[in-house]
Amino acid sequence: MINFTEGTVNKSKLISRRMFTLTVAKFIIFGGIFGRLVSLQINESKKYRTLSDKNRFREWRLAPQRGVIKDYFDNEIASNKRVYQLHITPENASNIEGLFFRIQSILNLSNERVFSLKRKMAKQKPWEPIIVSDNLTWSEFSRINLFLHELQGVEAIVSVARIYPYKSTSHLIGYVSQASARDLQKKEYLRNMSVPGISVGKTGLEHKLDENIIGKVGFQRYEVNAFGKRIRQIELDKGQAGQNFKTTLDLDVQEFAAKTIENLAASVCVMDIYNGDVITMVSSPTYDPNAFVHGIDKKSWKYLLDHRDKPLTNKSIAGLYPPGSTIKTIVALSALENDIANTKSNVYCKGAIDFYGEKFHCWKKKGHGSMNMRDAIKQSCDIYFYEIARKLGVDRLSETAKRFGLGSKTLGGFLEERSGVVPNTKWKKKFIGKNWYLGETLHSGIGQGYFLSTPMQLCLMTAQLANGGYKLKPRIVIDPNQKNQDNLKEYIEYKNANPNIPLPVDILVSNFNLEPLFRNQENINFIKDAMFASTNEPGGTSYRSRLTKKEFRFAGKT
């Protein structure tokens, strides 16, 4: 007998279990969907809002405006001008090949330039902009803006670029150019900026002051439609211009000096003997620093590199030359300070001397005859200084020369500045691996042999002799927070006017940190008098360069 009741019950239980399983599955699925919706709406809302904004908004970083560099009288010697640029962000361009084709037809770009841009783009991240041109003409900029709605991924930018009004300051100011991979590697502040095509200082003051003068990055944020076309500007932050700097330079003197040595391979350095301010620093031949701002062409670059007179070299601080007879003042001073000779020490000059089989000549073939120290400086007698150097020794000469600024960098902070060489026995053993020979001391006594110095070092050396033998700290950039540096002038003027009266307390205190470079100031005064004779007395080597007006008379050493 079939039991229908039992079968019905079993079927009912089976259906109930399946319904329960299905209901639970529904709850799990809908619970998962609800949980995901909650996660998307609440927990991950910021993430997706950002992604949405990225599609809807575009942000463009703006290169900051570099600070202005001025001379002492507020003439701008490095300033800025408005320029028009064209940038491309590859990830915003749907068809990069088509885009380049359109830009090439609008701007008449060469195939080489397009190839260079594509190669550069391949090395960058797709969201990093590349600069197609950083110096468009107004006509080119207008044409680009006319077709901008068709050029997806293209941005027309109004920016600023460096301009240098005076070629005479090219070596001192230096130049800027587009940041290289090496710049980004060495300078952390540049890596944090991440602005396409930002210009950085490469040489001179532009390099020395770069971190402070470069400014802070700005940005432009705007809304775009589905095709990437700009609808409206949302936000604009122009960033912060770099710090302005004032220098000790006198532009009129700089221009005059540059014109005077225009066709020569030469240098002119002028320094205030009381405070170390550099009034002029000219190197010739000059070059046009504006050529580097937007990238120098190969022909111009080759010309500068191959030029016989090396126009890119700042001869004032990077040119190393034997100091020659200008060192004789230091040789004489060192001999006096070390009691090796006195002002009346006599040497007879016959035009040449034999020294252990080697002949040493004087510049005057027939000789100068009997010479004391004053006449030897005045007439620049080589034989006299051979003998003084032999008695003095190169180590004591080296010590005095270093004390007056030779053999070390004068300005500091200039990438291109060189230290020069002040030789002595230890130096030769360390760098050449040989012992010092006495004949080499004689060469050093007239500024030849291993001696090498820069024009700025010789300028500092002479300035410290001229001010009475007090140490100077040369400067070009004026720090507005630095106290007055004219204390030495007040000190010397009062001392000369009142030789037997004690110094007033205010002058004494203000000059408490003066560092004399002499043991006996009478020795410095003697050297100054001999230099005056060299220029203003008949027979002096610079007598023909003298100025006859009393207010313009000067001392010097050829």
Side-chain angles (χ1 to χ4, degrees):
M1 185 177 178
I2 300 173
N3 190 343
F4 289 102
T5 306
E6 186 179 346
T8 303
V9 171
N10 290 336
K11 186 184 267 189
S12 176
K13 287 180 179 180
L14 180 62
I15 292 171
S16 296
R17 282 198 299 272
R18 288 178 178 175
M19 287 297 294
F20 176 76
T21 303
L22 185 60
T23 303
V24 170
K26 285 180 180 179
F27 272 111
I28 291 172
I29 292 169
F30 282 109
I33 292 171
F34 181 75
R36 182 59 178 157
L37 287 172
V38 170
S39 176
L40 291 172
Q41 291 290 327
I42 299 174
N43 298 336
E44 297 188 44
S45 61
K46 187 175 181 181
K47 171 186 173 182
Y48 288 100
R49 191 180 298 116
T50 302
L51 290 172
S52 173
D53 285 348
K54 189 176 179 182
N55 290 328
R56 184 182 166 202
F57 299 110
R58 294 287 185 273
E59 186 173 291
W60 212 271
R61 290 202 169 198
L62 304 175
Q65 180 172 304
R66 289 180 75 86
V68 173
I69 301 176
K70 302 178 180 180
D71 83 334
Y72 189 79
F73 300 101
D74 290 328
N75 298 302
E76 293 187 359
I77 49 182
S79 52
N80 303 293
K81 65 174 181 177
R82 179 182 291 181
V83 292
Y84 306 107
Q85 301 181 345
L86 182 66
H87 297 195
I88 292 178
T89 305
E91 75 166 0
N92 294 338
S94 57
N95 181 0
I96 197 70
E97 291 294 334
L99 181 61
F100 272 121
F101 180 79
R102 288 286 286 124
I103 293 174
Q104 191 173 8
S105 64
I106 296 171
L107 296 181
N108 296 320
L109 296 179
S110 66
N111 291 328
E112 290 79 8
R113 177 60 178 160
V114 173
F115 177 76
S116 173
L117 290 169
K118 288 180 180 178
R119 188 172 56 183
K120 184 177 180 181
M121 188 174 64
K123 295 177 182 179
Q124 293 186 178
K125 302 291 189 297
W127 57 83
E128 291 181 341
I130 63 168
I131 299 177
V132 176
S133 176
D134 62 355
N135 192 26
L136 293 170
T137 64
W138 174 250
S139 175
E140 291 170 333
F141 189 68
S142 301
R143 288 203 302 273
I144 283 292
N145 277 280
L146 183 64
F147 297 105
L148 197 60
H149 64 285
E150 300 175 8
L151 305 172
Q152 194 173 351
V154 167
E155 178 73 9
I157 299 286
V158 179
S159 187
V160 290
R162 211 54 160 166
I163 185 170
Y164 303 101
Y166 307 99
K167 284 176 68 175
S168 65
T169 63
S170 58
H171 294 95
L172 173 60
I173 300 299
Y175 63 86
V176 298
S177 191
Q178 190 168 329
S180 64
R182 188 179 178 187
D183 291 322
L184 295 172
Q185 185 180 3
K186 291 177 68 177
K187 300 176 180 179
E188 187 178 348
Y189 63 91
L190 283 181
R191 293 198 297 273
N192 296 334
M193 286 183 163
S194 185
V195 179
I198 191 168
S199 293
V200 296
K202 298 288 186 176
T203 61
L205 285 177
E206 291 282 27
H207 178 271
K208 175 183 168 77
L209 305 172
D210 197 48
E211 187 170 0
N212 294 317
I213 206 171
I214 200 169
K216 293 184 179 178
V217 173
F219 65 88
Q220 184 182 24
R221 200 164 187 246
Y222 51 87
E223 186 178 359
V224 297
N225 61 19
F227 300 100
K229 185 179 178 181
R230 186 188 304 185
I231 299 173
R232 62 191 177 97
Q233 183 173 286
I234 303 298
E235 190 176 356
L236 175 64
D237 181 351
K238 293 183 179 180
Q240 184 177 328
Q243 183 180 342
N244 294 333
F245 286 92
K246 186 174 182 176
T247 67
T248 59
L249 204 68
D250 185 326
L251 184 59
D252 289 340
V253 180
Q254 183 85 2
E255 288 277 277
F256 176 79
K259 188 175 181 181
T260 303
I261 60 172
E262 188 173 10
N263 298 315
L264 304 172
S267 167
V268 174
C269 300
V270 180
M271 184 182 293
D272 189 310
I273 67 170
Y274 297 113
N275 58 23
D277 285 357
V278 176
I279 310 302
T280 287
M281 187 174 82
V282 176
S283 179
S284 178
T286 59
Y287 65 92
D288 184 5
N290 294 298
F292 290 89
V293 175
H294 303 292
I296 190 168
D297 61 86
K298 289 183 180 179
K299 184 179 178 181
S300 300
W301 177 243
K302 189 175 187 303
Y303 170 80
L304 291 173
L305 289 180
D306 296 342
H307 196 289
R308 182 196 66 178
D309 295 329
K310 306 298 180 188
L312 288 176
T313 300
N314 184 349
K315 295 176 179 63
S316 299
I317 58 175
L320 293 179
Y321 313 97
S325 292
T326 58
I327 202 71
K328 290 174 181 175
T329 54
I330 294 297
V331 177
L333 178 64
S334 186
L336 293 172
E337 292 279 286
N338 287 286
D339 297 321
I340 299 300
N342 59 53
T343 58
K344 299 188 185 301
S345 297
N346 270 275
V347 173
Y348 192 83
C349 171
K350 296 183 292 183
I353 57 169
D354 285 309
F355 192 76
Y356 293 102
E358 186 178 356
K359 205 158 195 174
F360 291 81
H361 296 272
C362 184
W363 68 268
K364 191 173 183 179
K365 290 182 180 180
K366 294 182 179 180
H368 290 91
S370 182
M371 289 271 110
N372 60 28
M373 188 176 284
R374 186 178 187 273
D375 287 337
I377 295 174
K378 171 184 166 182
Q379 298 184 45
S380 199
C381 176
D382 292 334
I383 301 300
Y384 188 95
F385 285 98
Y386 290 145
E387 180 62 18
I388 293 295
R390 183 186 68 79
K391 292 179 180 179
L392 177 64
V394 72
D395 288 336
R396 282 185 286 206
L397 171 57
S398 169
E399 185 183 338
T400 306
K402 287 180 178 178
R403 198 185 311 145
F404 275 80
L406 302 186
S408 59
K409 293 182 179 180
T410 306
L411 299 175
F414 281 81
L415 183 69
E416 59 272 31
E417 186 172 14
R418 301 172 72 182
S419 300
V421 176
V422 174
N424 55 35
T425 53
K426 288 182 179 178
W427 173 89
K428 188 181 178 188
K429 192 70 175 176
K430 179 179 179 181
F431 291 100
I432 300 180
K434 294 181 180 179
N435 293 323
W436 187 269
Y437 298 104
L438 188 55
E440 293 170 329
T441 302
L442 273 64
H443 288 299
S444 297
I446 61 167
Q448 302 295 335
Y450 297 113
F451 250 116
L452 290 173
S453 57
T454 66
M456 185 56 74
Q457 287 173 342
L458 295 177
C459 182
L460 174 62
M461 177 193 82
T462 308
Q464 290 173 149
L465 287 171
N467 71 21
Y470 294 96
K471 187 172 183 177
L472 293 173
K473 187 176 180 181
R475 69 168 184 172
I476 288 182
V477 179
I478 296 174
D479 182 354
N481 300 317
Q482 193 173 11
K483 63 180 182 179
N484 179 33
Q485 293 198 130
D486 289 332
N487 299 336
L488 177 59
K489 186 177 182 180
E490 297 171 6
Y491 171 80
I492 292 173
E493 285 177 349
Y494 186 89
K495 225 179 148 190
N496 290 338
N498 308 280
N500 300 316
I501 301 175
L503 289 170
V505 174
D506 58 336
I507 295 180
L508 183 65
V509 170
S510 66
N511 291 279
F512 190 72
N513 61 349
L514 285 181
E515 185 178 338
L517 302 172
F518 53 82
R519 183 169 60 87
N520 182 353
Q521 194 163 34
E522 287 303 313
N523 295 330
I524 297 284
N525 293 336
F526 171 79
I527 299 297
K528 289 167 65 178
D529 176 63
M531 292 173 72
F532 184 85
S534 177
T535 304
N536 296 284
E537 293 180 8
T541 52
S542 54
Y543 183 67
R544 286 184 298 178
S545 301
R546 73 193 185 283
L547 297 175
T548 54
K549 286 189 177 181
K550 187 177 180 180
E551 60 268 33
F552 297 127
R553 285 193 300 179
F554 65 94
K557 179 71 190 79
T558 55

